[in-house]
Amino acid sequence: MDKISKKKREELEIRTCKEAELDELMLLQENIYKAMEQPDWFAVTSRDENKRFFKEPNVVIGVYDQDKLIAYGTIGFLGDSPDNLGQDLGWTGEKVHRCAVLDTIVVDSRYRGLGLQRELIRRCVEYAAKKKPGCTVLATVSPDNIYSLRNVQAEGFKILARKEKYGGKERYILGKGVITWDLDEEIS
């Protein structure tokens, strides 16, 4: 696949995805996973797991080139679910319930280098701050995926733990506390 070299980020649309776009999201995830040189860097999210991010207060934020989904990020408030990374950190009660999980960020390889991963991280964190002011946003990254690790850390996340997750894959759990602020614009 050729890289989209002349595409400018300003020409892309970023908006909340609709559940009717779940098939497109699953296809993008599958294509990205199949093309990865290091498949252990990515934990595939099942259809049912992805579906829950379309339900409030969770969200899927997509990046579109024309009408084609080329990147997305998911963030959710997973409460007592074992998928809430706060539980992996030994947190309990209200502390776990104040966690948002930045679950997945994927970018079509032809669009890499446009800063889309960091933009999606920022938008997901802003969304979490608006939905649950003062929450902690948690994410996992493979220690070997230096690109994603740098991007997450550049957005203010700190490594909190290293654990086996997703069927024995080594992962850092990273966290970022978000402050309360008013967002003037909705994610559209």
Side-chain angles (χ1 to χ4, degrees):
M1 286 194 235
D2 292 330
K3 192 162 183 83
I4 308 293
S5 57
K6 295 183 181 180
K7 184 59 69 174
K8 293 187 176 132
R9 198 163 102 186
E10 296 77 37
E11 297 173 26
L12 303 173
E13 177 188 13
I14 301 177
R15 65 169 172 80
T16 300
C17 295
K18 298 174 179 64
E19 191 170 344
E21 297 169 302
L22 180 59
D23 288 338
E24 189 177 2
L25 180 145
M26 294 303 297
L27 182 60
L28 176 60
Q29 177 185 246
E30 180 182 338
N31 290 339
I32 288 170
Y33 181 71
K34 284 181 179 177
M36 290 187 80
E37 291 179 29
Q38 301 292 330
D40 279 354
W41 289 1
F42 186 69
V44 174
T45 305
S46 75
R47 183 178 190 82
D48 285 340
E49 289 169 329
N50 270 323
K51 198 172 189 177
R52 71 181 164 184
F53 291 103
F54 288 98
K55 309 270 189 264
E56 276 282 331
N58 308 328
V59 73
V60 180
I61 301 171
V63 181
Y64 297 81
D65 184 358
Q66 308 291 323
D67 290 329
K68 180 178 167 58
L69 181 67
I70 56 101
Y72 71 88
T74 60
I75 191 160
F77 297 93
L78 305 181
D80 291 322
S81 165
D83 296 330
N84 186 328
L85 298 171
Q87 294 190 31
D88 288 297
L89 297 171
W91 298 352
T92 58
E94 182 59 26
K95 194 168 184 179
V96 166
H97 286 264
R98 297 208 55 79
C99 292
V101 175
L102 181 59
D103 188 73
T104 303
I105 304 248
V106 297
V107 178
D108 183 316
S109 62
R110 295 171 295 175
Y111 293 84
R112 292 195 182 134
L114 298 176
L116 296 176
Q117 184 181 42
R118 287 191 60 188
E119 182 65 27
L120 285 167
I121 293 167
R122 273 192 295 276
R123 298 238 184 168
C124 286
V125 169
E126 288 173 0
Y127 178 86
K130 181 178 179 190
K131 285 293 180 181
K132 198 172 274 200
C135 70
T136 300
V137 178
L138 299 172
T140 61
V141 176
S142 167
D144 298 325
N145 187 344
I146 232 51
Y147 310 106
S148 292
L149 184 58
R150 282 184 194 149
N151 283 336
V152 171
Q153 289 178 312
E155 292 303 319
F157 284 76
K158 305 286 184 228
I159 296 171
L160 303 176
R162 183 175 179 146
K163 296 195 85 141
E164 277 192 14
K165 299 279 298 164
Y166 318 121
K169 296 178 180 182
E170 282 291 317
R171 291 292 184 264
Y172 285 134
I173 299 176
L174 297 101
K176 176 180 180 169
V178 295
I179 57 170
T180 304
W181 72 78
D182 236 357
L183 294 178
D184 294 332
E185 291 183 25
E186 292 282 330
I187 297 168
S188 56

